[in-house]
Amino acid sequence: MSLDMIIGHEAAAAVLGKWPERPYTLKLPHDSPVGRVVNAQAIRGFLDSGCAPSDYVNVFHRGEGLHPARFTADDRVAPASVQLLLDQGCTIQLRELNRWFPPLSAICASIQAETGCPGYVTAFITPPNRQGLDYHWDQYLGIVVQLQGTKTWELFEPKVDAPYRDHSMSTNLWQDDWVKQWQREGPDQTVELTPGDILMLPRGWVHNPHSRKSAEASVHLTFVLKERVPLWVAER
């Protein structure tokens, strides 16, 4: 269960040979455990059963995080709150599922063994016709796997070079004029993911994801690979 179980043998070999510099899409292999064992029903089941640990769940409404008291009780996410929050247009994030969901723990461990890059996997549930997080960039390579519904990704060329960990985070360098520019000029790429689609999203690429075109809730996983970059080498 290494990288080729998510993106296929040829694509995995290409990534190991040269790290992606521009976004592109792939299809989930037909024999992948993602989509079968790890599917939208399993992700939603953690919330509906009250098994999701509160420390690993975030809820966003219009880009702002909600206080955990709104949706937790006894260190678990309260099932009664989940559907209410989704009906109100909130996006639910289940962080680092590899820490508490054994199938994803095995997949992430195999990817690290193959690539030498540590990482984690996070799930997002966004109601139809809504948006959770808006314009931002990440410090690591993301492999986005769409499990349910559709999600539209508006993608923009990087504003900074080589963000990594706490270096050049979007929250630290943000300029409001950038959003006006992106809205005026439009995205450099627009990708619409449906179930079984994968988006390879290199670090630093600005993205504005939303499910405004989805007829049902959008559920996707983001596998994060922490690249071994020159800054990492210099630190050591």
Side-chain angles (χ1 to χ4, degrees):
M1 289 191 295
S2 54
L3 194 59
D4 60 350
M5 294 298 291
I6 302 176
I7 62 176
H9 179 72
E10 292 184 7
V15 169
L16 293 174
K18 183 179 181 180
W19 221 246
E21 296 180 354
R22 299 187 66 84
Y24 58 91
T25 58
L26 299 165
K27 288 289 186 179
L28 191 68
H30 66 88
D31 58 350
S32 174
V34 178
R36 292 186 292 109
V37 178
V38 183
N39 52 36
Q41 291 73 26
I43 302 303
R44 180 63 190 263
F46 287 120
L47 300 172
D48 293 339
S49 64
C51 292
S54 60
D55 287 346
Y56 290 93
V57 177
N58 293 325
V59 178
F60 301 95
H61 187 254
R62 297 180 180 177
E64 299 293 332
L66 299 187
H67 192 281
R70 291 277 304 275
F71 56 89
T72 62
D74 299 324
D75 298 324
R76 290 290 185 270
V77 174
S81 301
V82 172
Q83 192 57 52
L84 177 62
L85 292 170
L86 289 171
D87 290 342
Q88 293 174 347
C90 296
T91 284
I92 300 177
Q93 177 194 41
L94 292 83
R95 298 186 300 107
E96 299 185 46
L97 280 158
N98 52 294
R99 288 180 176 267
W100 46 284
F101 187 25
L104 285 175
S105 177
I107 292 174
C108 286
S110 295
I111 292 173
Q112 179 171 343
E114 180 182 35
T115 63
C117 300
Y120 57 89
V121 57
T122 292
F124 291 86
I125 304 174
T126 302
N129 304 311
R130 297 288 184 172
Q131 180 165 8
L133 300 177
D134 55 11
Y135 299 90
H136 67 284
W137 67 77
D138 298 318
Q139 293 85 262
Y140 308 110
L141 171 69
I143 303 177
V144 179
V145 183
Q146 190 71 22
L147 298 178
Q148 176 184 293
T150 61
K151 195 128 197 187
T152 302
W153 293 74
E154 298 174 357
L155 307 173
F156 305 82
E157 295 272 358
K159 280 290 186 182
V160 300
D161 293 328
Y164 179 68
R165 210 162 55 196
D166 295 334
H167 172 66
S168 295
M169 296 174 61
S170 56
T171 51
N172 294 344
L173 302 177
W174 197 254
Q175 298 181 25
D176 291 337
D177 288 344
W178 287 344
V179 175
K180 296 177 182 178
Q181 174 190 341
W182 292 322
Q183 291 176 338
R184 181 176 64 252
E185 298 177 358
D188 295 298
Q189 294 186 42
T190 300
V191 175
E192 186 166 313
L193 300 183
T194 59
D197 289 341
I198 293 172
L199 171 63
M200 301 292 289
L201 185 61
R203 62 194 176 109
W205 273 77
V206 180
H207 42 288
N208 180 44
H210 60 81
S211 60
R212 291 195 291 267
K213 297 181 180 180
S214 185
E216 59 180 330
S218 166
V219 181
H220 79 264
L221 299 173
T222 298
F223 290 85
V224 171
L225 275 67
K226 300 181 178 181
E227 306 160 57
R228 304 302 197 190
V229 299
L231 177 59
W232 178 87
V233 176
E235 287 176 340
R236 279 149 183 79

